[in-house]
Amino acid sequence: MTIEPSDRVETVPPSGIRRFFELAEEMDDIISLGVGEPDFSAPWAAREAAITSLELGKTSYTANRGKRELRELIADDQRERYGLDYDPDEEILVTSGASEAVDLALRAVVDPGDTVAVVQPSYVSYVPGVIFAGGDPLPVPTTQETEFKLTVDALYEAGAEEADVLILCYPNNPTGATMTAAELEPIAEFAREHDLVVLSDEIYSELSYEHDHASIATFPGMRERTVVFNGFSKAYAMTGMRLGYAMGPPEAIDAMNRIHQYTMLSAPTTAQFAAIEALENCEDAVAEMRQQYNRRRRLVLSRFDDMGIECFRAKGAFYAFPECPWEDSGEFAEALLQEQKVALVPGTAFGEGGEGHLRVSYATGLEDLKEAMDRIEAFIS
Ligand code: PMP
C-alpha cells in the first residue's frame, strides 16, 4: 500500500520559496537575496547564556508556557515599548518560533468553515495554517498604490467584514511595508465594528527604520480581541534557536496552551536561556544590526532607482519589493538565477498582489549585496 496524504495536506501547494532554494542549492557562486533570515549570528551574550545553561545541565522541559523569568521580561518589554500590560501567568505563551504561535492561534480560534482574512502579499505560512485549522482563507490584496499598507477600502473590497479572523503583519514579509499608528487606527475600528479577532504578526517590530513600530493591540477595544506574535528569530538573529511568543487575552492564550501542552510540551529550554539574556542585555547588538540593515536598505532602494526599476520605499523588515521588469516574475527569477546566479523570490510565492513583483532580502553582507545588485543591473540591461 501507499500512504495517502490527507485532503487538507493535498490542498496546500509546496512553498514557492523552498522550490527556489532547492534549485539554487545545486549551483555554485550563488548570491542569495532569497532567504528571510538574518546573515548575522545571534549576539554573543545570548549564545554564551545558552552555553552556560548547558554546562549547568539545564536540559529539562520548562513550564508549558515557558520560563516565568522569560515571560516576565517579555511583559516588561511590551510595557516599555507600547504601554501594553500582559500578565506573564495568563497572557503570554512562549512557543517554538513565531511559526508555532501562528499555527496554535489559528487552531485555537478557527472553527471549520470560519473565514480568515489574510492580508496579501503575505508570509507563506498563513494560508496553509488557515487550511490546516479547517478555516477558509480570504485573501485581502494590498497594492503598491498604498505602499502595500492595509486600508479599510481593501478590507471592504475583499468582503472582510464577513470574516471571523483577520491576520496581518507589519512590518511586512514580503513587501517591507510598515504602518504607522495613524494608519492602523481605522483598521482597528473596522475590526471592532465587524467583531473580528485580529492576529497580528509583529516579528519584525524592531526592524522599523523610519517610524516607531505601532501595535494594533494598543487601540481601544483591541487588546481583548488581538493575539500578537513576536519572536527572537529576526531582531536577535536567532532563527535556528526556534523561539517565539504569543500575547493576548487569557482565554485565547489558554486555548493555545491547551494545544501546545500536548503537541510541544514546552519551547526549547536552551533557547529560552538565550532569550532571557537577549532581552536583558542585547539591546546594543540589536541596534547595531538594525543600523546595518538600514544601510543596506538604502543601498538597495537607490540601486533599483538608478536602474529605473520602480520600487516603493519599504520601511521595515529586511525586504524590498520592486516591480518585476518582466511580466512573469517566476520566469524572471529563474532566468536571473541561471544567467547571473542571483537568487530572489518571485512575488507569486506570496499570494494575491504578489505577481509583478520580486522579493529582495537584504539580510546579506554589504559586499555581496553590491555584487548582486551589479549582476541584476547587468541582467536587465
Ligand atoms: N512570521 C513572519 C512574517 C516571518 O517572516 C517568519 C520567518 N520567516 C515567521 C513568522 C516565523 O518565524 P520563526 O522563526 O519565529 O518561526
Side-chain angles (χ1 to χ4, degrees), residues 36 97-99 123 126 169 173 201 203-204 233-234 242 319:
S99 301
Y123 176 48
Y126 304 148
C169 171
N173 175 7
D201 186 344
I203 194 161
Y204 293 101
S233 285
K234 311 296 173 170
R242 311 306 307 125
Y319 308 106

PDB file of all heavy atoms in Angstrom, residues 36 97-99 123 126 169 173 201 203-204 233-234 242 319, ligand 1:
ATOM      1  N   GLY A  36      14.611  34.680   4.033  1.00  0.00           N
ATOM      2  CA  GLY A  36      14.158  35.654   5.023  1.00  0.00           C
ATOM      3  C   GLY A  36      14.808  35.384   6.347  1.00  0.00           C
ATOM      4  O   GLY A  36      14.148  35.114   7.337  1.00  0.00           O
ATOM      5  N   GLY A  97       9.322  29.158  18.069  1.00  0.00           N
ATOM      6  CA  GLY A  97       9.268  30.104  16.957  1.00  0.00           C
ATOM      7  C   GLY A  97       7.902  30.757  16.889  1.00  0.00           C
ATOM      8  O   GLY A  97       6.918  30.232  17.432  1.00  0.00           O
ATOM      9  N   ALA A  98       7.859  31.904  16.223  1.00  0.00           N
ATOM     10  CA  ALA A  98       6.558  32.543  15.973  1.00  0.00           C
ATOM     11  C   ALA A  98       5.705  31.610  15.119  1.00  0.00           C
ATOM     12  O   ALA A  98       4.476  31.656  15.175  1.00  0.00           O
ATOM     13  CB  ALA A  98       6.761  33.879  15.277  1.00  0.00           C
ATOM     14  N   SER A  99       6.361  30.747  14.351  1.00  0.00           N
ATOM     15  CA  SER A  99       5.638  29.788  13.498  1.00  0.00           C
ATOM     16  C   SER A  99       4.652  28.963  14.319  1.00  0.00           C
ATOM     17  O   SER A  99       3.506  28.772  13.915  1.00  0.00           O
ATOM     18  CB  SER A  99       6.611  28.828  12.813  1.00  0.00           C
ATOM     19  OG  SER A  99       7.523  29.536  12.037  1.00  0.00           O
ATOM     20  N   TYR A 123       3.257  36.485   4.184  1.00  0.00           N
ATOM     21  CA  TYR A 123       4.169  35.426   4.599  1.00  0.00           C
ATOM     22  C   TYR A 123       3.529  34.086   4.228  1.00  0.00           C
ATOM     23  O   TYR A 123       2.321  33.897   4.379  1.00  0.00           O
ATOM     24  CB  TYR A 123       4.402  35.549   6.111  1.00  0.00           C
ATOM     25  CG  TYR A 123       5.248  34.452   6.697  1.00  0.00           C
ATOM     26  CD1 TYR A 123       6.449  34.078   6.110  1.00  0.00           C
ATOM     27  CD2 TYR A 123       4.849  33.805   7.858  1.00  0.00           C
ATOM     28  CE1 TYR A 123       7.212  33.078   6.662  1.00  0.00           C
ATOM     29  CE2 TYR A 123       5.612  32.804   8.419  1.00  0.00           C
ATOM     30  CZ  TYR A 123       6.795  32.438   7.806  1.00  0.00           C
ATOM     31  OH  TYR A 123       7.553  31.450   8.353  1.00  0.00           O
ATOM     32  N   TYR A 126       0.675  31.619   6.421  1.00  0.00           N
ATOM     33  CA  TYR A 126      -0.671  31.922   6.918  1.00  0.00           C
ATOM     34  C   TYR A 126      -1.754  31.096   6.224  1.00  0.00           C
ATOM     35  O   TYR A 126      -2.612  30.513   6.894  1.00  0.00           O
ATOM     36  CB  TYR A 126      -1.009  33.404   6.778  1.00  0.00           C
ATOM     37  CG  TYR A 126      -0.047  34.361   7.444  1.00  0.00           C
ATOM     38  CD1 TYR A 126       0.181  35.623   6.907  1.00  0.00           C
ATOM     39  CD2 TYR A 126       0.631  34.011   8.609  1.00  0.00           C
ATOM     40  CE1 TYR A 126       1.052  36.522   7.507  1.00  0.00           C
ATOM     41  CE2 TYR A 126       1.518  34.898   9.208  1.00  0.00           C
ATOM     42  CZ  TYR A 126       1.723  36.160   8.646  1.00  0.00           C
ATOM     43  OH  TYR A 126       2.594  37.036   9.228  1.00  0.00           O
ATOM     44  N   CYS A 169       0.394  41.539   9.175  1.00  0.00           N
ATOM     45  CA  CYS A 169       1.809  41.502   9.541  1.00  0.00           C
ATOM     46  C   CYS A 169       2.489  42.794   9.096  1.00  0.00           C
ATOM     47  O   CYS A 169       2.669  43.028   7.904  1.00  0.00           O
ATOM     48  CB  CYS A 169       2.464  40.295   8.852  1.00  0.00           C
ATOM     49  SG  CYS A 169       4.260  40.227   8.976  1.00  0.00           S
ATOM     50  N   ASN A 173       6.479  40.925   5.731  1.00  0.00           N
ATOM     51  CA  ASN A 173       7.168  39.991   4.847  1.00  0.00           C
ATOM     52  C   ASN A 173       6.091  39.591   3.842  1.00  0.00           C
ATOM     53  O   ASN A 173       5.047  39.107   4.289  1.00  0.00           O
ATOM     54  CB  ASN A 173       7.642  38.773   5.658  1.00  0.00           C
ATOM     55  CG  ASN A 173       8.263  37.701   4.793  1.00  0.00           C
ATOM     56  OD1 ASN A 173       8.471  37.895   3.602  1.00  0.00           O
ATOM     57  ND2 ASN A 173       8.553  36.554   5.396  1.00  0.00           N
ATOM     58  N   ASP A 201       1.005  39.646  13.471  1.00  0.00           N
ATOM     59  CA  ASP A 201       2.362  39.107  13.449  1.00  0.00           C
ATOM     60  C   ASP A 201       3.346  40.271  13.463  1.00  0.00           C
ATOM     61  O   ASP A 201       3.502  40.973  12.463  1.00  0.00           O
ATOM     62  CB  ASP A 201       2.542  38.239  12.190  1.00  0.00           C
ATOM     63  CG  ASP A 201       3.878  37.515  12.167  1.00  0.00           C
ATOM     64  OD1 ASP A 201       4.790  37.888  12.932  1.00  0.00           O
ATOM     65  OD2 ASP A 201       4.014  36.577  11.353  1.00  0.00           O
ATOM     66  N   ILE A 203       6.658  40.118  14.261  1.00  0.00           N
ATOM     67  CA  ILE A 203       8.002  39.563  14.427  1.00  0.00           C
ATOM     68  C   ILE A 203       9.096  40.512  13.929  1.00  0.00           C
ATOM     69  O   ILE A 203      10.243  40.440  14.368  1.00  0.00           O
ATOM     70  CB  ILE A 203       8.124  38.167  13.775  1.00  0.00           C
ATOM     71  CG1 ILE A 203       9.401  37.478  14.256  1.00  0.00           C
ATOM     72  CG2 ILE A 203       8.055  38.235  12.258  1.00  0.00           C
ATOM     73  CD1 ILE A 203       9.430  35.992  14.075  1.00  0.00           C
ATOM     74  N   TYR A 204       8.717  41.460  13.031  1.00  0.00           N
ATOM     75  CA  TYR A 204       9.712  42.439  12.553  1.00  0.00           C
ATOM     76  C   TYR A 204       9.586  43.786  13.279  1.00  0.00           C
ATOM     77  O   TYR A 204      10.086  44.795  12.789  1.00  0.00           O
ATOM     78  CB  TYR A 204       9.565  42.644  11.044  1.00  0.00           C
ATOM     79  CG  TYR A 204       9.924  41.413  10.232  1.00  0.00           C
ATOM     80  CD1 TYR A 204       8.933  40.576   9.723  1.00  0.00           C
ATOM     81  CD2 TYR A 204      11.255  41.077   9.987  1.00  0.00           C
ATOM     82  CE1 TYR A 204       9.255  39.440   8.983  1.00  0.00           C
ATOM     83  CE2 TYR A 204      11.586  39.954   9.256  1.00  0.00           C
ATOM     84  CZ  TYR A 204      10.590  39.142   8.756  1.00  0.00           C
ATOM     85  OH  TYR A 204      10.914  38.026   8.029  1.00  0.00           O
ATOM     86  N   SER A 233      13.751  35.326  16.251  1.00  0.00           N
ATOM     87  CA  SER A 233      14.428  34.946  15.006  1.00  0.00           C
ATOM     88  C   SER A 233      15.011  36.130  14.241  1.00  0.00           C
ATOM     89  O   SER A 233      16.091  36.022  13.674  1.00  0.00           O
ATOM     90  CB  SER A 233      13.457  34.216  14.074  1.00  0.00           C
ATOM     91  OG  SER A 233      13.228  32.908  14.537  1.00  0.00           O
ATOM     92  N   LYS A 234      14.294  37.227  14.195  1.00  0.00           N
ATOM     93  CA  LYS A 234      14.678  38.308  13.275  1.00  0.00           C
ATOM     94  C   LYS A 234      15.584  39.320  13.954  1.00  0.00           C
ATOM     95  O   LYS A 234      16.768  39.389  13.648  1.00  0.00           O
ATOM     96  CB  LYS A 234      13.422  38.962  12.697  1.00  0.00           C
ATOM     97  CG  LYS A 234      12.400  37.979  12.138  1.00  0.00           C
ATOM     98  CD  LYS A 234      12.912  37.191  10.942  1.00  0.00           C
ATOM     99  CE  LYS A 234      11.898  36.117  10.551  1.00  0.00           C
ATOM    100  NZ  LYS A 234      12.206  35.475   9.289  1.00  0.00           N
ATOM    101  N   ARG A 242      14.739  28.663  17.420  1.00  0.00           N
ATOM    102  CA  ARG A 242      13.304  28.362  17.400  1.00  0.00           C
ATOM    103  C   ARG A 242      12.593  28.880  18.633  1.00  0.00           C
ATOM    104  O   ARG A 242      12.059  28.105  19.429  1.00  0.00           O
ATOM    105  CB  ARG A 242      13.051  26.833  17.222  1.00  0.00           C
ATOM    106  CG  ARG A 242      13.803  26.148  16.095  1.00  0.00           C
ATOM    107  CD  ARG A 242      13.587  26.820  14.736  1.00  0.00           C
ATOM    108  NE  ARG A 242      12.192  26.989  14.387  1.00  0.00           N
ATOM    109  CZ  ARG A 242      11.678  28.205  14.061  1.00  0.00           C
ATOM    110  NH1 ARG A 242      12.420  29.302  14.043  1.00  0.00           N
ATOM    111  NH2 ARG A 242      10.418  28.293  13.738  1.00  0.00           N
ATOM    112  N   TYR A 319      13.274  43.462   3.644  1.00  0.00           N
ATOM    113  CA  TYR A 319      12.872  43.154   2.274  1.00  0.00           C
ATOM    114  C   TYR A 319      12.581  44.420   1.483  1.00  0.00           C
ATOM    115  O   TYR A 319      12.026  45.378   2.006  1.00  0.00           O
ATOM    116  CB  TYR A 319      11.592  42.309   2.262  1.00  0.00           C
ATOM    117  CG  TYR A 319      11.677  41.094   3.145  1.00  0.00           C
ATOM    118  CD1 TYR A 319      10.990  41.050   4.355  1.00  0.00           C
ATOM    119  CD2 TYR A 319      12.464  39.999   2.775  1.00  0.00           C
ATOM    120  CE1 TYR A 319      11.071  39.938   5.181  1.00  0.00           C
ATOM    121  CE2 TYR A 319      12.546  38.892   3.604  1.00  0.00           C
ATOM    122  CZ  TYR A 319      11.854  38.862   4.797  1.00  0.00           C
ATOM    123  OH  TYR A 319      11.938  37.773   5.623  1.00  0.00           O
TER     124      TYR A 319
HETATM  125  N1  PMP B   1       6.238  35.477  10.604  1.00  0.00           N
HETATM  126  C1  PMP B   1       6.889  36.078   9.608  1.00  0.00           C
HETATM  127  C2  PMP B   1       6.275  37.252   8.957  1.00  0.00           C
HETATM  128  C3  PMP B   1       8.141  35.593   9.181  1.00  0.00           C
HETATM  129  O1  PMP B   1       8.778  36.200   8.175  1.00  0.00           O
HETATM  130  C4  PMP B   1       8.680  34.453   9.815  1.00  0.00           C
HETATM  131  C5  PMP B   1      10.016  33.858   9.399  1.00  0.00           C
HETATM  132  N2  PMP B   1      10.296  33.856   8.065  1.00  0.00           N
HETATM  133  C6  PMP B   1       7.957  33.866  10.842  1.00  0.00           C
HETATM  134  C7  PMP B   1       6.741  34.402  11.230  1.00  0.00           C
HETATM  135  C8  PMP B   1       8.437  32.643  11.568  1.00  0.00           C
HETATM  136  O2  PMP B   1       9.462  32.953  12.429  1.00  0.00           O
HETATM  137  P1  PMP B   1      10.044  31.918  13.492  1.00  0.00           P
HETATM  138  O3  PMP B   1      11.447  31.640  13.082  1.00  0.00           O
HETATM  139  O4  PMP B   1       9.970  32.659  14.793  1.00  0.00           O
HETATM  140  O5  PMP B   1       9.192  30.715  13.481  1.00  0.00           O
END
